[in-house]
Amino acid sequence: MNNNNWKNVFCFTVSQVVKGKNFMALSIGTALLLFAGLFGINVFVASMDKKNEDKSDAIQKVYYSGSQELPQMEDEFFQSVSEQTNITFEEVKEEEFDVDSINTKDENAIYVKGSIGEDGAWKLDIVYGEDSNVDNDMCEKFSEDCEVYIKQIKMGTLNLSQEQILLFNTPVLYDILEAGGNERSIGETMFKMFAPMIVCFVMYMMVIIYGQSITKVVIAEKTSKLMETMLTTAKPYDIIAGKILGMVCVALVQMSVWVGCGVGGFFLGDKVARGISDSYHNVIIDIGKVIQESSKDAFSVSTILCAVLAFCLGFIFFSVIAGWAASRLEKVEDLSGAITVFQVPVIISFLAAYMIPLQENAFLSRIIRFIPFTGAFCLPADCLIGSAKLWEGIIGIGILLAAIIVMIYITGKSYKKNVF
């Protein structure tokens, strides 16, 4: 393969794709959409938290009628709530209280009646006025707050000490230990469960979307007069390598821009959201901090480099497969058949790479890392999270690189055979 020839084809392919009518619009539009979407999600969540904060202050007065069965508990309950909130309570007799008068008494008031249900559970009936400032969501928030205090009072009736109550409310924590291995925490377990799934899905979507574009480019130019000119200066191997690598380069740069805009929107949105609501918490960032603290070995420079390189090579491998499927065709009308030939191994490999690790079979999970079709999906995540050792990652990357070279040779021969 002539270095200058394939580079010329590479540059020509990149320029043609970038100059395309919809390329820039799609790239910029998708980037802005990802930025705005992830930014907006954080701001929306913070706005809802702020709204709930405002709702918690909207109820200022509670009229309640006690139950004969639980008078002492109700007194303790309302006293406990009053100490923790700005709500004031006023006891009234049920027969003397007109629910409709809530609107005239106070626009920020509700009526609460305590009783014992048939199953012995303590029940609170909450009523708000039709024309008051209180709505159903505010009452639900009030009921959720009440539930916390009710549980505390119920435990108090059991004559438990403060230490026993704290012990009762303490969450259960666990660690997963491997004999002869390192301790694995909850955060690491969660990450090792979801990271492969996310990486596999991203790879699958990239291969399916860009693979179809590669098949269209290869078959389109095979049937054009431009091919005759190109073959006078470059060999089929140079043409197929330059075209596929050109499309891959554009795809990776485009995806990098999208990921960068999405990440930027996410973190900027998080910063703005924290200024909107004091109670706002970004669950993803919180989990990330836990993972970072508990998975120190999973994010070393070597594992990150292996993961990125394995991802890029895996994408190139399937892109060459797409080129091979298109190189076998002689007419544009047969393009749908080529896409099917390309997509079948992609789908099978994706399912195998995702399902086999779930079976917790260490032997099979290790084997699929060294098979190019499945390794393209599972090796990047396994390197990133430390499931694959460094030497396994290097061997897997070497196998992918060798497979790419072999497939480029096979695709070039198929390309030449079906051109002449």
Side-chain angles (χ1 to χ4, degrees):
M1 198 164 59
N2 189 296
N3 288 335
N4 290 328
N5 286 339
W6 82 262
K7 288 180 181 179
N8 292 335
V9 176
F10 172 88
C11 295
F12 175 79
T13 302
V14 171
S15 63
Q16 288 296 106
V17 174
V18 173
K19 291 178 182 177
K21 189 182 301 181
N22 299 322
F23 178 81
M24 294 303 296
L26 176 63
S27 300
I28 296 174
T30 303
L32 292 176
L33 184 63
L34 286 170
F35 181 90
L38 292 174
F39 177 88
I41 289 174
N42 286 326
V43 173
F44 174 77
V45 173
S47 300
M48 295 302 295
D49 289 344
K50 179 65 176 176
K51 186 177 180 181
N52 289 332
E53 291 174 7
D54 296 339
K55 285 180 179 180
S56 63
D57 297 331
I59 300 175
Q60 301 173 1
K61 183 82 172 182
V62 174
Y63 300 97
Y64 72 95
S65 60
S67 169
Q68 296 296 325
E69 296 87 347
L70 296 172
Q72 183 179 358
M73 282 188 66
E74 287 182 347
D75 290 341
E76 293 178 359
F77 164 69
F78 289 118
Q79 182 181 357
S80 176
V81 176
S82 298
E83 292 174 352
Q84 301 295 329
T85 66
N86 295 324
I87 300 174
T88 58
F89 294 85
E90 180 180 329
E91 185 175 9
V92 295
K93 294 182 179 180
E94 181 181 3
E95 60 274 10
E96 298 177 356
F97 187 82
D98 181 8
V99 174
D100 295 332
S101 66
I102 291 178
N103 292 327
T104 58
K105 280 180 174 289
D106 195 331
E107 292 183 345
N108 295 319
I110 59 175
Y111 170 60
V112 179
K113 176 188 175 184
S115 62
I116 295 181
E118 295 180 357
D119 57 354
W122 190 14
K123 180 182 178 184
L124 291 180
D125 294 320
I126 303 174
V127 183
Y128 63 94
E130 182 179 1
D131 300 324
S132 69
N133 295 329
V134 181
D135 59 21
N136 187 72
D137 291 339
M138 296 178 187
C139 291
E140 287 185 359
K141 180 67 170 57
F142 175 78
S143 66
E144 291 173 359
D145 295 338
C146 290
E147 185 177 359
V148 176
Y149 302 116
I150 291 173
K151 288 181 178 179
Q152 292 176 354
I153 294 172
K154 285 184 175 180
M155 283 191 289
T157 61
L158 300 176
N159 296 321
L160 298 176
S161 65
Q162 189 68 23
E163 290 76 13
Q164 290 174 318
I165 294 175
L166 290 174
L167 181 62
F168 179 80
N169 291 319
T170 300
V172 177
L173 303 177
Y174 69 91
D175 288 321
I176 299 175
L177 302 177
E178 179 182 355
N182 297 323
E183 184 176 330
R184 191 168 63 181
S185 66
I186 299 174
E188 187 176 355
T189 302
M190 291 174 58
F191 185 73
K192 290 191 174 183
M193 181 184 300
F194 290 108
M197 177 178 64
I198 295 172
V199 174
C200 280
F201 182 75
V202 171
M203 174 66 79
Y204 174 77
M205 293 304 298
M206 285 186 64
V207 167
I208 291 295
I209 294 172
Y210 291 105
Q212 293 184 26
S213 300
I214 291 172
T215 57
K216 291 177 182 178
V217 168
V218 172
I219 187 61
E221 294 196 356
K222 278 183 63 177
T223 58
S224 69
K225 293 184 178 180
L226 180 62
M227 181 55 57
E228 298 177 3
T229 304
M230 294 177 66
L231 287 172
T232 60
T233 58
K235 295 180 180 180
Y237 307 104
D238 298 323
I239 295 173
I240 201 69
K243 284 196 164 300
I244 293 175
L245 293 179
M247 291 292 295
V248 167
C249 179
V250 172
L252 291 176
V253 171
Q254 190 179 50
M255 184 60 64
S256 298
V257 172
W258 289 348
V259 171
C261 288
V263 171
F266 177 80
F267 283 103
L268 182 60
D270 176 75
K271 185 176 181 179
V272 173
R274 293 183 187 278
I276 295 175
S277 172
D278 294 334
S279 62
Y280 169 80
H281 291 284
N282 193 309
V283 178
I284 296 178
I285 291 181
D286 291 342
I287 293 176
K289 290 179 180 178
V290 174
I291 294 171
Q292 190 175 17
E293 294 174 357
S294 60
S295 307
K296 295 178 181 179
D297 295 337
F299 292 100
S300 64
V301 175
S302 58
T303 56
I304 292 175
L305 289 176
C306 279
V308 172
L309 187 57
F311 187 90
C312 293
L313 290 177
F315 179 63
I316 293 173
F317 173 74
F318 277 110
S319 297
V320 178
I321 296 293
W324 168 78
S327 69
R328 300 169 56 253
L329 305 179
E330 297 180 357
K331 298 182 295 182
V332 178
E333 291 78 9
D334 298 331
L335 180 61
S336 60
I339 293 176
T340 301
V341 171
F342 157 67
Q343 288 182 343
V344 168
V346 172
I347 295 172
I348 294 175
S349 301
F350 166 72
L351 293 175
Y354 176 67
M355 298 299 296
I356 289 178
L358 295 179
Q359 308 304 314
E360 297 185 353
N361 188 315
F363 176 75
L364 290 179
S365 296
R366 176 170 291 180
I367 290 297
I368 61 175
R369 295 170 189 160
F370 305 122
I371 301 174
F373 288 92
T374 52
F377 287 102
C378 66
L379 188 60
D382 287 347
C383 289
L384 185 65
I385 63 180
S387 295
K389 297 179 180 179
L390 184 59
W391 66 267
E392 292 178 321
I394 294 173
I395 292 176
I397 289 172
I399 292 174
L400 276 173
L401 184 59
I404 290 170
I405 295 173
V406 171
M407 283 306 305
I408 288 177
Y409 176 78
I410 294 174
T411 304
K413 290 195 69 173
S414 176
Y415 194 76
K416 180 179 180 180
K417 178 181 177 181
N418 288 283
V419 167
F420 296 106

